[in-house]
Amino acid sequence: SQKIEQNSEALNIQEGKTATLTCNYTNYSPAYLQWYRQDPGRGPVFLLLIRENEKEKRKERLKVTFDTTLKQSLFHITASQPADSATYLCALTLTGGFKTIFGAGTRLFVKA
Amino acid sequence: DTAVSQTPKYLVTQMGNDKSIKCEQNLGHDTMYWYKQDSKKFLKIMFSYNNKELIINETVPNRFSPKSPDKAHLNLHINSLELGDSAVYFCASSQEYGQGATEAFFGQGTRLTVV
């Protein structure tokens, strides 16, 4: 069956450390993968997009990797801050581009 | 200045009623979507429209009927509401669909509660 899995447990880290979130998928052929941030009571906000032929993307303190062999993406936030506390959603857009599937998200708590 | 706006933000209604949620985007995007986020926080696509035409209909009950009067608007009408329809509904838009598609911009959501 097709699945997208993100850490279901919340991730608690200390301010200044690097947060690493995982997204694993099975039986999908994604054209690209996206990461979104969602705060309580708000809609998801786009962070980064990485295509199937790319290994790594960076944007400021954010870095995403995409391994289509392992069927895994890692999302890193370096020098984390309490303001980074939110739910982070992984999303696969399938080949053909018509459909984007979201994972359930991982809640991140950054303690001061 | 809101890019994607939905109304209402909250909607409480009784079972069996018919209700609509409106969505407008001012980004000039060609593609708009409706997503449903349930209590377990899964965000599932319901419909996708490109240039006012339906592209994706994800096995949603036919009590749900989207309507796109123009590229900037995608409304969602729900007939005969059921308890299981309670969720947060998000409208979104993106610049293109297909291989050229980019990120989606989401509205703030409509929390629908059916009692």
Side-chain angles (χ1 to χ4, degrees), chain A residues 98, chain B residues 30-34 45-58 60 64-68 74 97:
Chain A
F98 295 106
Chain B
D30 291 330
T31 306
M32 295 185 73
Y33 312 84
W34 277 108
I45 190 163
M46 300 172 69
F47 301 103
S48 169
Y49 268 73
N50 180 260
N51 281 319
K52 303 194 299 175
E53 289 190 20
L54 181 66
I55 302 295
I56 291 174
N57 179 341
E58 275 295 296
V60 177
F64 290 79
S65 51
K67 192 163 185 181
S68 183
L74 181 62
Y97 75 102

Side-chain angles (χ1 to χ4, degrees), chain A residues 18-69:
Chain A
T18 296
T20 298
L21 284 67
T22 305
C23 175
N24 294 298
Y25 61 94
T26 55
N27 295 325
Y28 282 117
S29 296
Y32 51 88
L33 186 146
Q34 303 176 64
W35 284 89
Y36 287 79
R37 169 185 173 140
Q38 187 173 23
D39 291 285
R42 309 193 74 133
V45 174
F46 170 78
L47 296 174
L48 278 171
L49 180 153
I50 186 165
R51 298 186 184 275
E52 59 172 341
N53 58 352
E54 296 174 319
K55 296 291 184 189
E56 183 179 297
K57 268 280 185 69
R58 290 175 186 260
K59 180 182 174 183
E60 298 171 354
R61 295 185 296 111
L62 309 180
K63 183 178 89 170
V64 62
T65 63
F66 192 14
D67 188 327
T68 54
T69 302

Side-chain angles (χ1 to χ4, degrees), chain B residues 48-97:
Chain B
S48 169
Y49 268 73
N50 180 260
N51 281 319
K52 303 194 299 175
E53 289 190 20
L54 181 66
I55 302 295
I56 291 174
N57 179 341
E58 275 295 296
T59 59
V60 177
N62 57 16
R63 297 181 296 103
F64 290 79
S65 51
K67 192 163 185 181
S68 183
D70 55 58
K71 265 182 14 172
H73 295 84
L74 181 62
N75 303 323
L76 183 66
H77 188 77
I78 316 170
N79 288 327
S80 304
L81 278 154
E82 300 177 358
L83 292 176
D85 297 332
S86 296
V88 181
Y89 292 84
F90 286 100
C91 176
S93 72
S94 66
Q95 190 158 4
E96 298 174 34
Y97 75 102

Side-chain angles (χ1 to χ4, degrees), chain B residues 29-46:
Chain B
H29 289 166
D30 291 330
T31 306
M32 295 185 73
Y33 312 84
W34 277 108
Y35 283 86
K36 178 180 180 180
Q37 190 168 44
D38 60 25
S39 56
K40 293 183 181 176
K41 303 301 182 187
F42 274 103
L43 198 63
K44 292 182 186 174
I45 190 163
M46 300 172 69

